Amino acid sequence: MTADVATATRELPMVELSAAERSALVEQHLPLVGYITSEFIGRLPSHVSRDDLTSAGLMALFQASRAYDPTTGVPFNRYANTRIRGAILDDLRGADWASRGVRSRQRKLSQTEDQLTTQLGRTPTPTELAAALGVSEKEVAETRDEAQRSMVLSMQGFTAEGASLDDHLPTHTPGPEQELLHRERLGYLRSAVSVLPERLRHVVEGYFLHERPMAELAEELGVSESRISQMRAEALVLLRDGMNTHLSPEMVLKTAGSGAAVKRKEAYYAAVGTQSDFRSRLALSSFAQFSAPAMRTA
């Protein structure tokens, strides 16, 4: 009776799911791809791309929905699980430069090294490793070289077409804290420029922001080019100390000079702090809004 049932089952035609049913299966089992990918990625080197494995898994899930036959009695999640794991393994093998023989020798070397380290209480020498493995020291060195080459080439294999290995290496872009500090410094700089004495501000904006020649600025202000150079240097000192007063007070030297000069500088430093609040300093807007209209020739 059992044989008859089995024969009848084999003779049943394959049931094809509708497009809507296949789509529902894929959508319902999407988390399965993420779960299996995470399981694999936890046991693989850090250079292996999670996105690549996920793509392979998703493609396998889609193909499984098209090939699945509910009359077999096998639950779809079990069927898809097998297909997804197989696809991910195929993707890893395709990106792996090393042959199975190389990988086998690497595993044996690693296991032997771990065992000897435990027994000896230290890292074994190449001579001790070779003796334990029954090979020459040259073969041990060759196995290590093969492992190194396979690692480098595998990393290259995971780069996208047209990309370089550098695209997958850690970058040194500033983190949130550094970015916040940079934006605040830039905000203080804008404030410091905007409250400079009018003629000094005209020189700074003209020379640094609009890249105008000193001869042109000198003609507008009715002074010599050397005087423009002096004004530029004076403005830069004011900008530096005006910003440091609020950002790094310990870097500001004690103001020297007459009482009136000291008061003017202190008033300027105070104005830098009151020109903007924290929110506006972080706005990262253009310097253009702080640029004053071109001054008439003095």
Side-chain angles (χ1 to χ4, degrees):
M1 181 70 177
T2 303
D4 294 339
V5 172
T7 300
T9 301
R10 285 197 300 270
E11 293 175 351
L12 288 174
M14 177 179 175
V15 176
E16 292 188 6
L17 301 177
S18 67
E21 290 172 325
R22 291 198 302 269
S23 178
L25 279 177
V26 170
E27 184 175 352
Q28 180 182 352
H29 292 86
L30 281 175
L32 184 61
V33 175
Y35 172 78
I36 296 174
T37 300
S38 297
E39 183 182 328
F40 270 92
I41 211 74
R43 296 177 291 170
L44 293 170
S46 59
H47 65 78
V48 177
S49 169
R50 174 186 286 270
D51 289 343
D52 287 348
L53 300 189
T54 301
S55 295
L58 289 172
M59 180 58 69
L61 176 61
F62 175 73
Q63 292 172 343
S65 72
R66 295 178 64 87
Y68 178 60
D69 182 0
T71 62
T72 61
V74 178
F76 179 76
N77 63 333
R78 187 187 305 171
Y79 175 72
N81 189 303
T82 302
R83 295 287 295 265
I84 293 169
R85 290 180 184 277
I88 290 177
L89 284 172
D90 286 343
D91 188 77
L92 289 171
R93 291 191 189 104
D96 192 1
W97 165 85
S99 65
R100 291 188 178 183
V102 170
R103 291 298 183 203
S104 176
R105 289 194 294 275
Q106 291 173 8
R107 284 194 298 270
K108 190 173 182 180
L109 175 61
S110 179
Q111 292 169 358
T112 303
E113 190 169 19
D114 290 343
Q115 292 171 358
L116 288 177
T117 299
T118 302
Q119 294 172 7
L120 300 173
R122 58 174 173 79
T123 302
T125 65
T127 303
E128 292 167 336
L129 269 175
L133 290 167
V135 298
S136 65
E137 291 185 41
K138 181 180 178 182
E139 288 177 282
V140 171
E142 288 175 349
T143 300
R144 291 193 187 281
D145 288 342
E146 288 173 340
Q148 181 65 27
R149 286 198 301 272
S150 67
M151 176 65 74
V152 172
L153 292 176
S154 291
M155 291 178 71
Q156 292 174 340
F158 279 111
T159 58
E161 184 178 355
S164 68
L165 183 59
D166 293 339
D167 297 328
H168 296 267
L169 295 176
T171 61
H172 299 285
T173 54
E177 182 179 354
Q178 289 77 16
E179 178 67 19
L180 191 66
L181 290 172
H182 171 72
R183 291 171 64 183
E184 186 171 21
R185 289 191 186 99
L186 184 57
Y188 269 118
L189 177 58
R190 293 199 306 268
S191 297
V193 170
S194 68
V195 296
L196 278 172
E198 189 174 7
R199 290 167 68 85
L200 295 184
R201 184 177 71 244
H202 186 69
V203 170
V204 168
E205 291 178 347
Y207 185 82
F208 291 104
L209 303 184
H210 304 306
E211 299 181 350
R212 298 174 64 190
M214 285 197 293
E216 185 178 311
L217 295 172
E219 183 179 353
E220 284 187 356
L221 296 179
V223 297
S224 65
E225 288 187 43
S226 61
R227 176 55 185 154
I228 292 294
S229 181
Q230 293 172 354
M231 294 171 69
R232 182 186 62 184
E234 181 184 348
L236 290 177
V237 171
L238 278 175
L239 290 172
R240 180 197 65 196
D241 290 343
M243 292 174 63
N244 283 338
T245 296
H246 303 281
L247 293 170
S248 304
E250 69 280 0
M251 297 181 65
V252 181
L253 299 177
K254 185 176 180 180
T255 305
S258 64
V262 170
K263 288 182 179 180
R264 283 197 299 271
K265 287 185 178 181
E266 290 178 346
Y268 169 74
Y269 300 157
V272 171
T274 58
Q275 174 66 18
S276 60
D277 57 18
F278 181 73
R279 185 185 298 274
S280 62
R281 284 195 295 271
L282 298 185
L284 278 181
S285 53
S286 170
F287 268 106
Q289 64 176 298
F290 294 97
S291 298
M295 293 179 56
R296 295 183 178 181
T297 302

